[in-house]
Amino acid sequence: MDSNLHSPERRLIELRMEHADLDALIDRAGEQVPVDELMLRRLKKRRLALRDEIARLELALDPKEPA
C-alpha cells in the first residue's frame, strides 16, 4: 500500500490536479482589479514548470520508442 502512495502514476495524478488548480487560480487572479502582475507571472511560471514535469513523467511512464 505504501508503495502505491509514491508511485509515478499517483505523482502524475497529483501534478495534473495541481496544474488544474493553478489554471483556476490564474483565471480568478486575472479577473481581479487591479491585476497583481507579479503574482500572475509567478503562478504562470509555476504552471509551466508543472506542465514540463508532467510531460517528463508521462514520457517515462509511456516511452514512444521500445527500450
Side-chain angles (χ1 to χ4, degrees), residues 30-63:
E31 294 170 355
Q32 292 178 352
V33 176
V35 175
D36 185 347
E37 293 293 333
L38 180 59
M39 182 185 73
L40 206 52
R41 277 194 307 245
R42 287 178 177 167
L43 291 172
K44 287 180 178 183
K45 188 174 182 177
R46 174 66 182 145
R47 183 179 61 178
L48 183 59
L50 281 173
R51 191 176 70 192
D52 290 344
E53 190 172 348
I54 289 168
R56 280 192 301 272
L57 195 51
E58 285 174 338
L59 187 59
L61 290 173
D62 187 29

